[in-house]
Amino acid sequence: QEFTVIYFEGNDSKVGVFRYEKKLKLLRAASMAIPRSELASDPTDLSINLDDDTGGINLSSGSSFSKSPEIDTAYIQAVNSFVGHFDPKKMVFLPAVTEPALHFHLKEPVQDKKKGKPKSSQGIKKPEYEPDIIYLADNSPMQMLSGGDTTYLNVLNSMAKLRGRKFLKTPALRSADCSLSYYVGSRRAAPEDQYTLIFYIGKEYSRLIYMKNGRLAHFGAVVDFGKESVHNFDLYFSKIMLEMENGGIPQLDNIYVCGEDTSWQLLSSLVGTFPEANVGKLEFPDIDTSVLNEAERENISQFTMLFAVAAEYVDELNKKRRAPNLLPAFVLDEQKTFQFAWHGFLQIPL
């Protein structure tokens, strides 16, 4: 199966086309800036239409979301050309976003009516699956909420129009940060009571993801500077220590660095600041990246979010994972309605 992951982060995006047979293989990947109109964005509505050919989703005008600033046509054409020729009945598109396109919110603890105080999160039975809920290392529920940014919808809809179709098959919207924490937790063994920091550096923003025993423990607030805007590593380190305090993280045993900057200078500075931690680049040995040339391999970490989302999707195909899905509920409901109607049609006697 071939599928495309598009990761949106501010005015930057990453596009990757993958194939999964016995092993996950990267076919091509690119980093693309997103030029936007300077006109202020206006509220708009989005609705769903379904293509009879494949049962996929088309989002156009009709329901309550905020429209993102208009995206430059040249960007849409560049992404469309990069993805190349594909069978629209088979190719799956997985958009992935980060803050501020979504927000993380710790849900209020359940109150014990008898004792008049919050119940221990350890004793709460978790539902089998909630598409917008993740559970932290202490079993506290965290909800993911849409920030109203519809860039991913605008891009996919525009690409569909370029190909003369009503839609591109889009079964899910991923939280890139959740996918990354899952990737590290499922691929990197962590001894009990060890704390890990995933330090993702973007072009404009950076992310601090703290884990305990291989499970997500705390999402740090978005660091509002990245490779293109910081020239003093101390700014990073003060944010790391501040978020350790905010998240109740007592120590760091492992630090995985990934994203736009995995330079020796940054790694050595981290070693000097956190001498007790094992510091290193995040590697992706389970993904075939042989298509990349030497120069691209040196900067392979810039595609971290693509790899994390792709690996999580493969685990989902293999029934090893049921990933959060932030695609609007009305999209999923319309898709279920279409499937039910189609199967009902097949049962009509001829």
Side-chain angles (χ1 to χ4, degrees):
Q1 178 177 352
E2 290 190 5
F3 60 94
T4 297
V5 180
I6 308 179
Y7 169 58
F8 298 92
E9 178 187 289
N11 293 319
D12 184 43
S13 70
K14 302 289 189 291
V15 185
V17 181
F18 295 84
R19 177 184 296 141
Y20 174 64
E21 291 174 346
K22 293 182 179 180
K23 185 175 183 179
L24 179 59
K25 181 176 183 178
L26 175 68
L27 300 182
R28 50 193 175 277
S31 176
M32 298 183 181
I34 308 176
R36 299 175 188 267
S37 168
E38 295 182 1
L39 297 175
S41 58
D42 297 318
T44 191
D45 287 338
L46 296 172
S47 69
I48 303 305
N49 292 312
L50 292 165
D51 190 307
D52 294 344
D53 292 341
T54 61
I57 305 160
N58 171 39
L59 296 104
S60 52
S61 58
S63 196
S64 58
F65 274 77
S66 298
K67 184 179 180 181
S68 302
E70 185 177 347
I71 298 172
D72 190 88
T73 304
Y75 170 78
I76 303 295
Q77 293 173 336
V79 175
N80 185 61
S81 297
F82 181 79
V83 174
H85 176 75
F86 61 85
D87 184 345
K89 295 183 180 181
K90 296 181 180 179
M91 174 69 85
V92 168
F93 284 80
L94 293 171
V97 297
T98 185
E99 294 183 287
L102 59 81
H103 304 291
F104 298 98
H105 172 69
L106 275 173
K107 297 190 72 175
E108 295 295 327
V110 178
Q111 296 290 320
D112 188 325
K113 295 181 180 180
K114 293 182 179 180
K115 298 182 180 179
K117 60 182 181 179
K119 288 184 177 180
S120 169
S121 58
Q122 299 294 338
I124 299 175
K125 184 178 180 180
K126 295 186 292 185
E128 284 190 12
Y129 176 72
E130 293 176 283
D132 62 341
I133 300 291
I134 53 175
Y135 287 85
L136 304 183
D138 64 356
N139 284 337
S140 298
M142 176 178 282
Q143 187 172 23
M144 293 172 283
L145 305 171
S146 171
D149 187 332
T150 60
T151 296
Y152 68 97
L153 299 180
N154 296 340
V155 169
L156 293 176
N157 230 23
S158 298
M159 286 177 61
K161 290 177 182 178
L162 285 177
R163 294 177 181 262
R165 301 194 64 83
K166 295 179 181 179
F167 76 97
L168 296 177
K169 293 183 69 173
T170 309
L173 171 64
R174 299 299 192 211
S175 159
D177 305 300
C178 288
S179 296
L180 180 55
S181 65
Y182 170 75
Y183 181 83
V184 172
S186 61
R187 268 69 173 179
R188 301 288 183 274
E192 190 173 352
D193 294 328
Q194 278 210 356
Y195 290 85
T196 297
L197 168 64
I198 307 171
F199 185 14
Y200 173 83
I201 302 167
K203 289 183 178 178
E204 303 172 37
Y205 311 99
S206 299
R207 294 293 286 159
L208 303 173
I209 303 173
Y210 298 85
M211 304 184 70
K212 179 183 179 182
N213 303 338
R215 294 183 60 192
L216 176 64
H218 174 61
F219 276 135
V222 173
V223 180
D224 56 0
F225 43 79
K227 183 180 180 181
E228 296 182 349
S229 57
V230 67
H231 304 288
N232 185 345
F233 292 147
D234 289 341
L235 293 174
Y236 282 136
F237 303 155
S238 62
K239 289 283 188 179
I240 291 173
M241 289 184 277
L242 174 63
E243 289 300 333
M244 288 177 66
E245 182 178 348
N246 292 341
I249 308 297
Q251 82 246 10
L252 289 179
D253 301 287
N254 308 287
I255 300 176
Y256 294 114
V257 182
C258 53
E260 299 288 340
D261 189 358
T262 57
S263 63
W264 176 85
Q265 292 89 339
L266 175 58
L267 294 175
S268 60
S269 296
L270 282 166
V271 171
T273 307
F274 302 97
E276 296 181 358
N278 298 311
V279 179
K281 297 179 185 179
L282 182 60
E283 305 287 350
F284 308 93
D286 56 326
I287 300 175
D288 182 351
T289 59
S290 58
V291 68
L292 301 177
N293 59 41
E294 185 175 348
E296 290 170 330
R297 285 198 191 96
E298 289 181 2
N299 297 310
I300 192 173
S301 195
Q302 67 177 311
F303 302 126
T304 289
M305 292 304 194
L306 297 182
F307 296 147
V309 172
E312 183 180 51
Y313 178 63
V314 167
D315 280 4
E316 195 164 44
L317 291 176
N318 291 325
K319 311 297 184 184
K320 296 179 181 178
R321 164 77 163 165
R322 198 169 183 189
N325 186 354
L326 304 179
L327 203 65
F330 65 87
V331 178
L332 299 174
D333 290 342
E334 288 284 348
Q335 190 173 30
K336 291 175 184 177
T337 300
F338 174 86
Q339 291 171 344
F340 176 79
W342 179 246
H343 288 301
F345 174 77
L346 291 177
Q347 294 175 16
I348 297 175
L350 297 177

